Amino acid sequence: MIMTGKRRLPAAALLGFGLAFGMAGFGHAQETARPFGVVELFTSQGCNSCPPADKVLSELADRDDVIALSYHVDYWDYLGWKDGMASPDNTERQQTYAHSLERASVYTPQAIINGQRDVNGARRDTVLSTLDGLSGGTGGLPVTMALHDTGDSIVIDAGDMPAANGTASLNAHVLLIDFTARQSVAIRSGENGGKTFEYRNAVKRIQTVGMWNGQAKSIELPKSEMMKKGDGCAVLLQAVDKKGRLGPILGAAMTRP
């Protein structure tokens, strides 16, 4: 489904460096190797072409080497079903991507891969081949990330940008994202009325927590803030230019319970 109406874009936006963990406790989580890539799906419970994409996202969420996030948007609520997972912030993020990728409109289901390419999220083979193509070349995640539990706080360590990738005028934002790891929803009306779907890693809150300029840096956050909403959390790092346009995802790290 395509949405042609536009909303005002924010002066700056953010994304990219990922980490996720469950309510079992950060200290018991298992840290994984550098992720293969990051997939962000823009979807809606009121969109009848979205369920296949939600299944692809669910499959990716089960992988240890991919960070998969689901952003429910609110512009299809008028079709007869209000998506309880949707938020204006998620819709604004998609609109920002449209501006950055020079797209005339937004649509669902749209998958953004490594912050660089957008594809139809329901086309599994295309999603996987794009993820593979980007991760195997210069579109991968060059920055090493690490996460440490100190007891009351979480320390995020971002490494240096490799010299081969260049550091000229590099500017990146660090973003904290809370999400619901798994939730089943019975949809009673609208295009998907009468059906029940399970949603994975549905984003509940997006918050900027710092900046990074290509030099190794540590950011300390209260552990309670990391788990303020939802039952999972991701930290994302993404290049942003002087006009506020989103650039590529630079690095990612993930822990699992």
Side-chain angles (χ1 to χ4, degrees):
M1 297 175 68
I2 298 175
M3 183 68 174
T4 56
K6 294 185 178 180
R7 300 186 179 193
R8 183 177 63 84
L9 298 176
L14 4 93
L15 188 94
F17 144 56
L19 136 132
F21 56 92
M23 288 296 286
F26 212 104
H28 300 289
Q30 297 295 317
E31 187 168 349
T32 65
R34 183 185 301 181
F36 191 60
V38 178
V39 177
E40 300 169 87
L41 175 67
F42 292 91
T43 184
S44 172
Q45 295 172 9
C47 162
N48 63 7
S49 56
C50 286
D54 297 324
K55 289 182 179 180
V56 174
L57 192 283
S58 181
E59 176 185 328
L60 292 171
D62 285 334
R63 288 177 52 165
D64 291 333
D65 61 347
V66 175
I67 295 171
L69 296 171
S70 179
Y71 296 81
H72 287 242
V73 297
D74 60 3
Y75 50 77
W76 296 128
D77 287 355
Y78 78 92
L79 294 177
W81 175 257
K82 183 177 175 59
D83 189 331
M85 294 178 171
S87 76
D89 288 343
N90 291 347
T91 299
E92 185 174 63
R93 181 166 186 77
Q94 187 183 25
Q95 293 283 5
T96 303
Y97 261 127
H99 178 64
S100 301
L101 297 173
E102 299 183 344
R103 299 291 183 259
S105 62
V106 296
Y107 66 92
T108 55
Q110 181 185 34
I112 308 292
I113 301 173
N114 287 5
Q116 301 178 51
R117 294 277 301 278
D118 71 305
V119 300
N120 187 321
R123 297 175 181 171
R124 179 180 181 275
D125 290 345
T126 302
V127 172
L128 295 180
S129 63
T130 303
L131 181 63
D132 183 64
L134 287 174
S135 300
T138 58
L141 309 177
V143 179
T144 299
M145 313 298 298
L147 184 70
H148 308 285
D149 181 359
T150 67
D152 294 329
S153 67
I154 301 301
V155 178
I156 302 164
D157 288 327
D160 291 314
M161 173 68 83
N165 295 83
T167 58
S169 302
L170 183 61
N171 181 43
H173 291 185
V174 181
L175 186 68
L176 179 66
I177 296 178
D178 296 303
F179 62 84
T180 299
R182 189 187 300 264
Q183 184 173 339
S184 181
V185 178
I187 299 174
R188 298 184 178 84
S189 60
E191 293 187 346
N192 291 317
K195 300 177 182 178
T196 298
F197 299 109
E198 182 180 75
Y199 296 100
R200 301 289 300 279
N201 297 358
V203 172
K204 295 181 68 66
R205 183 184 64 162
I206 309 168
Q207 181 182 10
T208 309
V209 296
M211 297 183 67
W212 178 86
N213 64 0
Q215 304 287 321
K217 181 177 183 178
S218 294
I219 298 174
E220 186 174 15
L221 299 170
K223 189 187 296 187
S224 59
E225 182 68 16
M226 299 282 283
M227 299 296 289
K228 192 171 183 179
K229 293 186 178 182
D231 54 10
C233 179
V235 179
L236 305 173
L237 171 77
Q238 186 171 22
V240 180
D241 71 13
K242 293 180 180 180
K243 294 182 179 180
R245 292 175 299 194
L246 300 177
I249 292 171
L250 302 173
M254 178 174 278
T255 60
R256 298 181 186 276

